[in-house]
Amino acid sequence: MDRVALRGLRARGYHGVFPHEREEGQTFVVDLTLGLDTRPAAADDDLTKTVHYGIVAEEVVGIVEGEPVNLIETLAERIARACLGHEGVQEVEVSVHKPNAPITVPFDDVTVTITRSRV
């Protein structure tokens, strides 16, 4: 299976279990790896035979900026479902980063990574 990856998609969201997270919001970062067969697109040099990663990126940002959820696990699941909604995408790996998570000790990042497929 071939891979199309998008790294570092950024959007402001209002996800979290604490009231200040819902009120103030924060930046979330999303990395995606889409699994699909790119051979038909490459053979014909035809965008319609692959996934349009610009549209996927816009959809992902819309999900992050959209309806708040408590958990980034839920956010990752919503993103995965949207990606699998694109014809040809057979598998997706989604990583949601929450670099400003409310943790009381020094840290670099919090990430949830899920893999979902049509199978």
Side-chain angles (χ1 to χ4, degrees):
M1 192 170 313
D2 303 320
R3 303 275 183 235
V4 173
L6 293 128
R7 300 281 181 248
L9 295 171
R10 287 177 171 69
R12 187 162 193 81
Y14 295 84
H15 313 289
V17 296
F18 297 113
H20 72 274
E21 293 180 289
R22 294 293 185 105
E23 294 164 10
E24 299 169 18
Q26 60 191 287
T27 299
F28 292 83
V29 181
V30 178
D31 300 325
L32 300 173
T33 303
L34 308 171
L36 65 153
D37 183 357
T38 63
R39 288 176 292 193
D44 295 337
D45 199 25
D46 186 348
L47 176 61
T48 65
K49 295 182 178 178
T50 188
V51 64
H52 191 309
Y53 51 79
I55 290 173
V56 172
E58 291 171 0
E59 290 174 357
V60 169
V61 167
I63 292 167
V64 174
E65 292 176 342
E67 180 184 351
V69 296
N70 290 331
L71 304 176
I72 58 175
E73 290 87 342
T74 306
L75 186 59
E77 190 70 38
R78 288 182 178 180
I79 292 167
R81 273 198 311 265
C83 292
L84 289 172
H86 287 268
E87 186 177 340
V89 176
Q90 298 299 308
E91 182 179 273
V92 62
E93 180 181 273
V94 178
S95 294
V96 177
H97 302 258
K98 190 174 181 179
N100 298 308
I103 297 175
T104 60
V105 297
F107 73 101
D108 289 331
D109 196 8
V110 172
T111 305
V112 169
T113 300
I114 65 171
T115 302
R116 299 293 181 265
S117 66
R118 292 182 185 270
V119 180

